[in-house]
Amino acid sequence: MKILVIGGGGREHAIAWRLSKDGGHEIYCAPGNAGTADIATNVPIGAEDIDDLVAWSQLARPDLVVVGPEAPLCLGVADRISALGIPVFGPSKEAARMEGSKSFSKEVMEAAGVPTAHAERHVKADEAIAALDRFTLPVVIKADGLAAGKGVIIAKTRAEAEDAIRSILDERQFGEAGASLLVETFLEGEEASILALVSGEGRIALLPPAQDHKRVFDNDEGPNTGGMGAYSPAPVVTDEVLDFAMERIFKPVVAELAKRGIEYRGVLYGGLMIGPAGINVLEFNCRFGDPETEAILPRIGGDFASLLLSCAKGELDPASLVILPQPCATVVMAAPGYPGKYPKGLPISGLDAAGAMADVTVFHAGTADKDGQTVTSGGRVLCVTALGSDLRDAVDKAYSGIRAISFEGAHYRKDIARRAFNR
Ligand code: AMP
Ligand code: GLY
């Protein structure tokens, strides 16, 4: 198959890599990175340059387009390319509102009876501040729209909550993504990511569950990041949790969307909180998670392109999903300073040595090629991934891979999968 993968991070490298494992495909990545360049042809079009992506697809006529990030989906890239008669793995603009609009997603969950934190939507700061009287601390304040993962504030004090509300609604800290916000009940517990392949009603397959590590430092300290590592499976997600997710979360949500005339096709990612209040949905994403994908896709067997194509066409047979038993772990190597300001262009060494280790794969997240030398070009630089006979083995192998690689000021968490080992 001729396949276009849209995006240029670790998730897209993992998608392209998994497609390449099928053998025989012609893979393109827009824009890709130094890692995808080894297994695919990079196309110099940005993931949000919708007109150019459509024009390229019209000329090149790929058999399948796989969309990585949420932004192009929310801009309607799937609608535009599908209209050319090309199957797209990724939801329509309407369906992508499950991630693009937190109030829409909340409304769908409420209508479908899906357990989720109670929330109120507000557009005026004084009304949102008055609403705080109806919530206890800590309280969660969320910009309604896409804010590059920065739109959620967990306020421990009333003053912090008021500041967050004013900066979102009055100062438009997140631009139009903050034209409205949710004031939401804080939930305690352990987070887990359950991603489902969805191909309309009755066609839902749960991918192996994973757990992400959002804080930059060990023991979940320091500021939030895009994710510093992940592993799959996550022991907190028992078979009972998976059953619950299918019956009480994914089936009702997909049915509720269908009732509104929206057929969901692609990944629906449920961010769950499992704790004293039971199993609740914190949020939905309309795409593969990053870095969860780097720990999930190595565990998928069978022909991956056929799986995604059937899903894109609304023909997914959930029984065709093959999950391999070996656990997988991925550890992010980040640039000095990340998630704050960081330099770019640092030369990276040891990539070949790490990649040659048994069961180790190095996914590039933020890299570029500079005169034949791979250099850093982002905050999250590499996702060093390994399959193992058990989770401990997978984690150990991933860290062996990390130790073989170096660039100035590289940092990474040393406790990936800690929660699983602590059980
Ligand atoms: P999001 O940007 O929507 O992925 O949310 C970011 C993070 O905020 C989540 O992964 C949780 O750690 C946290 N979060 C969101 N909503 C809640 C909530 N209602 N209670 C506790 N934590 C939350
Ligand atoms: N790993 C979190 C996300 O992809 O949103």
Side-chain angles (χ1 to χ4, degrees), residues 2-334:
K2 186 173 188 176
I3 307 169
L4 171 67
V5 177
I6 297 177
R11 166 181 50 210
E12 289 76 22
H13 188 191
I15 293 169
W17 169 86
R18 184 58 192 81
L19 289 167
S20 75
K21 299 287 268 188
D22 291 347
H25 304 309
E26 191 183 327
I27 305 169
Y28 295 84
C29 287
N33 60 37
T36 62
D38 286 340
I39 50 171
T41 304
N42 285 347
V43 179
I45 302 176
E48 293 172 39
D49 298 338
I50 309 299
D51 289 341
D52 291 346
L53 291 167
V54 172
W56 186 91
S57 301
Q58 193 157 19
L59 274 177
R61 304 295 311 176
D63 302 296
L64 173 67
V65 175
V66 183
V67 188
E70 63 279 13
L73 290 165
C74 291
L75 291 169
V77 77
D79 312 64
R80 297 271 311 273
I81 296 178
S82 305
L84 303 172
I86 296 168
V88 179
F89 181 84
S92 65
K93 184 175 179 173
E94 272 278 289
R97 292 176 73 210
M98 287 303 288
E99 174 165 1
S101 164
K102 290 191 195 304
S103 59
F104 173 76
S105 168
K106 191 63 91 177
E107 183 199 313
V108 170
M109 283 191 260
E110 281 168 1
V114 169
T116 182
H118 167 71
E120 286 184 24
R121 175 175 181 271
H122 289 282
V123 295
K124 292 204 176 110
D126 48 352
E127 287 173 17
I129 287 168
L132 292 173
D133 292 342
R134 297 188 284 277
F135 289 80
T136 52
L137 291 170
V139 63
V140 186
I141 310 294
K142 297 183 171 182
D144 202 337
L146 287 185
K150 299 192 174 71
V152 175
I153 296 103
I154 299 182
K156 294 198 189 66
T157 64
R158 170 106 187 185
E160 272 180 64
E162 292 188 8
D163 280 352
I165 288 169
R166 286 208 186 83
S167 65
I168 291 174
L169 288 177
D170 290 344
E171 288 148 35
R172 288 286 201 269
Q173 184 192 356
F174 304 113
E176 283 314 292
S180 57
L181 57 68
L182 296 183
V183 180
E184 183 169 298
T185 303
F186 175 81
L187 295 174
E188 276 176 87
E190 194 173 337
E191 282 184 61
S193 309
I194 302 187
L195 282 65
L197 297 177
V198 178
S199 187
E201 242 187 309
R203 296 184 184 274
I204 304 173
L206 299 186
L207 291 165
Q211 200 164 44
D212 185 7
H213 298 64
K214 291 203 161 122
R215 303 295 198 96
V216 68
F217 300 129
D218 287 7
N219 294 313
D220 295 329
E221 284 170 19
N224 257 322
T225 69
M228 293 298 288
Y231 64 100
S232 171
V236 67
V237 183
T238 58
D239 287 346
E240 288 73 49
V241 174
L242 279 177
D243 271 354
F244 185 94
M246 179 61 104
E247 299 303 323
R248 295 287 317 281
I249 296 171
F250 288 102
K251 281 186 184 171
V253 160
V254 174
E256 176 62 31
L257 289 171
K259 215 164 97 185
R260 296 166 184 235
I262 301 171
E263 184 173 83
Y264 198 101
R265 290 186 194 173
V267 168
L268 185 59
Y269 162 143
L272 308 189
M273 184 67 92
I274 302 166
I279 303 167
N280 280 280
V281 178
L282 291 181
E283 53 161 0
F284 282 110
N285 294 322
C286 64
R287 40 135 187 115
F288 281 114
D290 198 353
E292 289 94 330
T293 303
E294 290 89 312
I296 290 174
L297 295 194
R299 303 191 61 217
I300 305 298
D303 192 88
F304 190 52
S306 303
L307 186 73
L308 299 187
L309 181 65
S310 67
C311 192
K313 288 178 158 172
E315 296 167 358
L316 173 75
D317 170 9
S320 69
L321 173 64
V322 180
I323 297 173
L324 306 178
Q326 290 90 342
C328 189
T330 188
V331 183
V332 172
M333 277 183 98

Side-chain angles (χ1 to χ4, degrees), residues 333 335-336 343-351 366-377 381-382 405-410:
M333 277 183 98
K344 292 184 183 179
L346 305 168
I348 307 171
S349 64
L351 288 168
T367 66
D369 181 87
K370 196 178 160 203
D371 309 323
Q373 164 71 52
T374 304
V375 299
T376 69
S377 69
V381 177
L382 301 167
I405 302 173
S406 57
F407 56 88
E408 198 188 313

